Amino acid sequence: ATAGFFDSIVYEEETIIITITDKQKIYPFYLYLEVVDSYEDVGKMLSELEKVLKTQDDVVVTCIGDIVKIDGRFGMRVKSASNLRINDYLIKEFIFKMDSLFNYVN
C-alpha cells in the first residue's frame, strides 16, 4: 500500500499512469493502472476525476498494489480502480461528492 498527493494523470495505450508526490512535491511516485477490459469506462471516470482534481489542493491518493520498476523508476502496479482511493473515497464516490452539480445549494 502507498499514499501520496495527486500530481497528474497520463494515458498510455492500455495503462493509465497516475503520479503522486510527497507533501513538498519533490519525489514523484507512479501508479500504473492497467485497464484492459474496461479501459473506456475507467478512462472516462479518470478524465472526470482529473477535471475535479485541477480545482483541489492536497488531494490524497491511497492504493494497494505490487511494487514494480518500469523504465528505471519505482512505482506501483494497481490491479483495479477499486484498489484506488481519493481522499478515502472510491473514484466514483469522490467524483459524485465533488461535482458541483450534486453539491448545488439554493
Side-chain angles (χ1 to χ4, degrees):
T2 192
F5 294 93
F6 173 81
D7 186 59
S8 64
I9 297 176
V10 175
Y11 305 91
E12 289 184 358
E13 295 180 20
E14 294 178 347
T15 302
I16 297 168
I17 304 169
I18 300 172
T19 305
I20 59 175
T21 64
D22 59 298
K23 183 79 170 173
Q24 291 76 31
K25 298 194 183 275
I26 297 172
Y27 302 104
F29 190 75
Y30 305 94
L31 307 177
Y32 300 95
L33 182 59
E34 295 179 358
V35 222
V36 178
D37 297 330
S38 59
Y39 181 84
E40 240 180 73
D41 293 338
V42 174
K44 287 178 188 175
M45 190 168 54
L46 288 173
S47 177
E48 285 299 313
L49 175 66
E50 189 174 21
K51 290 177 194 173
V52 171
L53 292 179
K54 287 181 179 178
T55 65
Q56 303 292 309
D57 291 323
D58 295 335
V59 174
V60 177
V61 177
T62 56
C63 67
I64 298 171
D66 299 323
I67 298 294
V68 294
K69 189 173 183 181
I70 298 174
D71 296 331
R73 57 188 189 196
F74 284 101
M76 181 172 283
R77 179 170 288 126
V78 182
K79 296 183 180 182
S80 168
S82 64
N83 290 339
L84 190 64
R85 297 200 179 262
I86 312 295
N87 286 351
D88 286 333
Y89 293 98
L90 291 171
I91 296 170
K92 288 179 186 177
E93 295 168 346
F94 181 80
I95 293 169
F96 183 80
K97 180 181 178 293
M98 297 308 297
D99 191 325
S100 60
L101 283 175
F102 299 107
N103 291 323
Y104 181 74
V105 178
N106 285 329

